[in-house]
């Protein structure tokens, strides 16, 4: 029998206070479902609206990249300072502790190596795996202008369709082939196509000229790709410029884990992304932390 004795009469109705409906903090994401928004809010910090993603997925097409030979030794010490890890299921299962609280963006496209045509990718992870691994987004490479442009776009739209069914966002990664021009016109084209076809956010490269037109013409958040290793001050300057010109964060790999002092570098990147620190100040922070021994 239901225990109904002593139930107090409900009276806290606050009839004079309308229920608040909170808008969502991420560009172009307000119409998404609760699960999608919740996952995006684990990638992007709701306070700054930005993210520091640590990209360590390089091995899926180029094997043990410099700095990633031993993820357990070189990368685990960086994890606490990243908002999100971008990696493959192989490294996630074999090396990353399940107690990790950082959100996971899972690389789901693949099937090629540096020995062959890179744009010839397929979807290499099924949706059940992404659900099982509790990931916050799935990353798919899109090769606009590449030999297998259409297949790579369709890979992305397939993941958008399947991910939407389960509330998992899709990150489109705009890949530049060897011969493609890296300019704002190209990245406007690539990012806009990905967004129009449903990507929930987009990773793209920074360009000095007109980067703000790339972010302005893309209706969903853009995170800046790191690219090949450059001096720390230059990498911090690039991240600063990207953020100030409309990027909602960074997804950096080699410029962090190939740094002389990776922990110091990721902390400096965080200062630029989340605190709007200038490149000069962030570099001073890097230098100080490095001198204090913040290598690992
Ligand atoms: C390729 O496009 C992949 O996403 C990379 O494996 C990785 O994310 C690139 O990171 P970074 O260029 O910053 O080393």
């Amino acid at each position: 029998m239901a225990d109904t004795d002593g139930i107090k009469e409900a009276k806290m109705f606050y009839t004079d206070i309308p229920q608040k409906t909170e808008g969502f903090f991420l560009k172009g994401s307000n119409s998404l479902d609760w699960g999608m928004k919740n996952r995006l809010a684990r990638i992007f910090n709701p306070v700054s609206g930005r993210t520091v993603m640590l990209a360590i997925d390089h091995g899926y097409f180029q094997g043990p990249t410099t700095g990633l030979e031993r993820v357990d030794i070189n990368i685990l010490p960086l994890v606490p300072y990243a908002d999100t890890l971008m990696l493959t299921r192989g490294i996630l299962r074999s090396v990353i502790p399940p107690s990790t609280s950082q959100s996971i963006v899972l690389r789901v496209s693949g099937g090629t190596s540096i020995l062959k045509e890179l744009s010839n990718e397929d979807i290499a992870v099924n949706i059940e795996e992404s659900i099982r691994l509790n990931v916050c987004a799935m990353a798919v490479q899109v090769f606009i202008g590449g030999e297998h442009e259409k297949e790579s776009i369709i890979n992305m739209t397939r993941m958008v369709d399947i991910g939407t069914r389960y509330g998992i966002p899709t990150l489109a990664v705009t890949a530049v082939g060897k011969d493609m021009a890296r300019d704002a016109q190209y990245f406007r084209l690539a990012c806009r196509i990905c967004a129009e076809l449903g990507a929930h956010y987009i990773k793209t490269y920074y360009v000095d000229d007109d980067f703000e037109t790339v972010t302005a013409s893309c209706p969903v958040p853009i995170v800046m790709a790191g690219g090949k290793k450059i001096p720390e001050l230059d990498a911090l300057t690039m991240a600063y410029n990207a953020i100030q010109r409309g990027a909602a964060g960074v997804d950096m790999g080699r410029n962090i884990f190939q740094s002389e002092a990776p922990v110091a570098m990721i902390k400096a990147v965080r200062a630029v992304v989340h605190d709007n620190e200038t490149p000069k100040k962030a570099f001073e922070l890097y230098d100080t932390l490095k001198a204090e021994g913040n290598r690992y």
Side-chain angles (χ1 to χ4, degrees), residues 11-255:
K11 57 185 176 193
M12 310 266 276
F13 293 108
Y14 300 103
T15 53
D16 54 334
I17 305 177
Q19 179 175 312
K20 280 190 194 136
T21 303
E22 193 184 290
F24 193 60
F25 67 98
L26 275 183
K27 180 180 179 181
S29 311
N30 208 36
S31 299
L32 300 177
D33 194 21
W34 196 95
M36 282 265 185
K37 285 179 176 162
N38 184 256
R39 287 186 170 92
L40 287 168
R42 292 199 51 220
I43 296 169
F44 294 89
N45 180 321
V47 176
S48 67
R50 297 176 184 158
T51 185
V52 173
M53 293 178 58
L54 179 62
I56 56 164
D57 59 328
H58 309 56
Y60 95 94
F61 69 102
Q62 60 183 39
T65 308
T66 306
L68 294 179
E69 299 90 338
R70 287 291 300 271
V71 173
D72 57 330
I73 295 173
N74 295 333
I75 299 299
L76 289 188
L78 306 179
V79 169
Y81 309 105
D83 296 306
T84 299
L85 301 178
M86 177 184 179
L87 38 49
T88 60
R89 62 173 156 179
I91 290 295
L92 183 63
R93 273 217 177 81
S94 57
V95 182
I96 307 295
S99 56
T100 300
S101 57
Q102 274 68 20
S103 53
I104 300 299
V105 172
L106 191 68
R107 157 69 55 188
V108 298
S109 65
T112 56
S113 80
I114 43 170
L115 305 179
K116 296 256 183 144
E117 168 53 42
L118 283 177
S119 69
N120 193 16
E121 284 193 347
D122 209 328
I123 293 302
V125 180
N126 69 28
I127 188 70
E128 285 77 14
E129 191 68 329
S130 294
I131 297 167
R132 197 177 290 122
L133 292 169
N134 199 26
V135 309
C136 283
M138 304 176 291
V140 182
Q141 215 77 354
V142 181
F143 297 83
I144 301 297
E147 197 175 320
H148 296 271
E149 175 187 83
K150 179 182 164 189
E151 292 90 334
S152 72
I153 292 176
I154 298 303
N155 287 341
M156 186 202 81
T157 59
R158 272 172 54 207
M159 293 324 291
V160 170
D161 285 336
I162 305 169
T164 299
R165 200 181 300 156
Y166 298 102
I168 304 182
T170 296
L171 165 63
V173 181
T174 63
V176 285
K178 289 187 204 91
D179 319 317
M180 283 178 240
R182 287 191 181 205
D183 58 20
Q185 188 181 15
Y186 173 78
F187 291 121
R188 281 196 301 268
L189 174 79
C191 293
R192 184 61 176 257
I193 289 172
C194 293
E196 295 262 356
L197 291 173
H200 298 98
Y201 75 108
I202 295 163
K203 169 175 173 170
T204 201
Y205 289 91
Y206 177 75
V207 283
D208 273 325
D209 291 336
D210 301 328
F211 183 74
E212 63 280 1
T213 65
V214 179
T215 54
S217 59
C218 180
V220 294
I222 282 185
V223 292
M224 184 205 79
K228 68 175 192 308
K229 174 77 175 75
I230 54 178
E232 278 77 4
L233 178 58
D234 295 351
L236 293 168
T237 304
M238 180 171 75
Y240 177 82
N241 289 339
I243 294 293
Q244 300 305 318
R245 295 168 82 179
V250 299
D251 186 12
M252 296 170 81
R254 288 164 289 177
N255 275 295

